[in-house]
Amino acid sequence: MRRSLSSRGRPMNDFDTSAQSTPSRPPDALPTFKNDAARDRYLAAYDAAVRDWPIACEELDIPSRWGSTHVIVSGPADAPPLVLLPSFAGTATAWRLNVAGLSAHYRTYAIDVIAQPGKGWSHRRLRDRREYADWLGEVLDGLGLSRVSIVGCSFGGFLALNQASLTPQRVERVVMISPVGSFASQLWKLTYSARIKRPLVKLWRRLSGSKRAPGMTDLGVRPPRDTLWAALMATTMMPAFSAVGVINPAVLSRRELRAIRAPALLLIGDAERLYEPAAMARLARKRMPALETAVVADADHVAAMAQPDEVNARILRFLQPRD
């Protein structure tokens, strides 16, 4: 288990590293960098985001049977654990605008999803949602966490709900922010974005001779409030990677959803483009009656970054123990 600190960070807990060691990254590991220059640009952008982390933090690399998972840890060592899972390719740094407020009450663990862009890696693709649950379970074991609450955005929201479904004994509460899959399929929209819209954007840029660096706005997403994260995403889209690992996020059955014991909250930005927010909230409540839902005003797919104070407040109200 490798340890490193941000320039604002300091050791915050005595992790036992004697029994674990991080394996060496194979040359064909996922995500696969396009070339050495792309790797160097990407890691420099990632490190810049962590150097400006708003509070003290520690970076850890947790080994598992698949490879290595990068985690950014913040908050008091004796506070309840809160796992933060990002959108696809978003990395742990997607939580920079939220982490200070959440870490005032929780020990936060912002995690790079294995085989996706980030500092972690996997020696093979994860095949299905069971393997993702097993992977996250092994990461929690490596962190010494038996039971946690989880907040996830987009693909991370799907993973959070998936964990509550498949490992109920390990999940206290779940917050999903604009999850993909989960309650209804968005496969055709995700396919359009990945296989049609992005290549068209790339072709237009080449034909127009545009020198501007690619960014989220090319895909119809609002410019992110976090400029360092936006720079990291621009590097990702250059592209920095020739291969990554991901699955089609599953739609859980009504039986599976109703069997989930962990209290769950669904947050959707009012400017969400994958689905109509109010309609999705109604559908989700119909399929999972105990679910709490809310639409976040003036927020898009990454609502936690668009409205960090409001989203943090909603998360904290939901997570706090109730009489």
Side-chain angles (χ1 to χ4, degrees):
M1 180 190 297
R2 184 181 67 84
R3 301 175 62 176
S4 62
L5 305 176
S6 76
S7 59
R8 297 188 181 189
R10 60 181 182 275
M12 299 175 300
N13 195 12
D14 293 327
F15 288 92
D16 180 7
T17 62
S18 60
Q20 303 183 48
S21 61
T22 304
S24 300
R25 178 177 183 135
D28 58 347
L30 296 169
T32 306
F33 287 101
K34 190 173 182 181
N35 50 50
D36 290 347
R39 177 199 62 206
D40 293 345
R41 284 194 302 269
Y42 181 84
L43 294 178
Y46 191 111
D47 289 341
V50 178
R51 278 196 303 273
D52 197 45
W53 205 252
I55 56 175
C57 71
E58 185 170 10
E59 295 181 83
L60 302 174
D61 292 303
I62 308 298
S64 71
R65 76 183 91 163
W66 287 274
S68 178
T69 299
H70 195 70
V71 184
I72 305 176
V73 187
S74 309
D78 59 351
L82 179 62
V83 168
L84 306 176
L85 299 175
S87 58
F88 172 73
T91 80
T93 66
W95 299 102
R96 279 174 16 96
L97 300 188
N98 305 90
V99 72
L102 297 177
S103 298
H105 305 272
Y106 291 89
R107 177 80 157 176
T108 58
Y109 299 84
I111 297 178
D112 286 349
V113 176
I114 196 164
Q116 295 184 12
K119 282 190 169 181
W121 58 267
S122 176
H123 64 78
R124 68 167 175 83
R125 296 178 187 276
L126 279 67
R127 294 183 291 253
D128 52 36
R129 69 186 186 100
R130 166 55 71 179
E131 287 203 330
Y132 274 96
D134 291 344
W135 156 72
L136 187 54
E138 289 192 18
V139 172
L140 297 181
D141 290 341
L143 292 167
L145 304 174
S146 59
R147 189 172 173 85
V148 300
S149 291
I150 307 176
V151 178
C153 174
S154 190
F155 189 80
F158 158 70
L159 292 181
L161 188 66
N162 181 61
Q163 204 70 28
S165 174
L166 296 179
T167 64
Q169 74 281 5
R170 307 205 68 166
V171 181
E172 188 74 29
R173 287 174 176 264
V174 174
V175 179
M176 296 160 283
I177 304 171
S178 294
V180 292
S182 305
F183 303 105
S185 176
Q186 301 88 42
L187 179 60
W188 72 271
K189 286 193 175 182
L190 295 172
T191 301
Y192 168 75
S193 178
R195 299 187 180 181
I196 300 175
K197 188 170 185 177
R198 290 182 190 180
L200 286 175
V201 168
K202 185 177 180 180
L203 175 62
W204 175 85
R205 291 175 58 79
R206 186 172 76 246
L207 294 176
S208 65
S210 175
K211 302 294 184 181
R212 180 176 60 83
M216 303 292 286
T217 53
D218 290 320
L219 299 177
V221 179
R222 295 178 181 178
R225 290 179 59 174
D226 185 341
T227 56
L228 288 176
W229 184 80
L232 176 62
M233 293 303 294
T235 303
T236 304
M237 294 172 64
M238 289 186 79
F241 301 94
S242 59
V244 297
V246 68
I247 62 169
N248 176 37
V251 177
L252 276 65
S253 71
R254 184 171 300 190
R255 181 177 180 180
E256 288 174 312
L257 290 169
R258 296 189 178 202
I260 292 173
R261 300 197 300 265
L265 170 66
L266 171 65
L267 300 177
I268 306 174
D270 64 352
E272 175 60 64
R273 294 192 177 189
L274 274 181
Y275 35 70
E276 200 284 318
M280 177 55 71
R282 287 193 300 270
L283 173 64
R285 287 195 304 270
K286 181 178 180 180
R287 305 193 75 231
M288 188 178 180
L291 179 70
E292 297 183 31
T293 66
V295 175
V296 181
D298 196 25
D300 54 13
H301 189 62
V302 191
M305 189 178 297
Q307 297 295 336
D309 293 339
E310 180 180 351
V311 170
N312 276 6
R314 289 183 179 276
I315 291 171
L316 292 172
R317 283 198 301 269
F318 175 76
L319 293 180
Q320 298 301 323
R322 301 175 184 183
D323 296 330

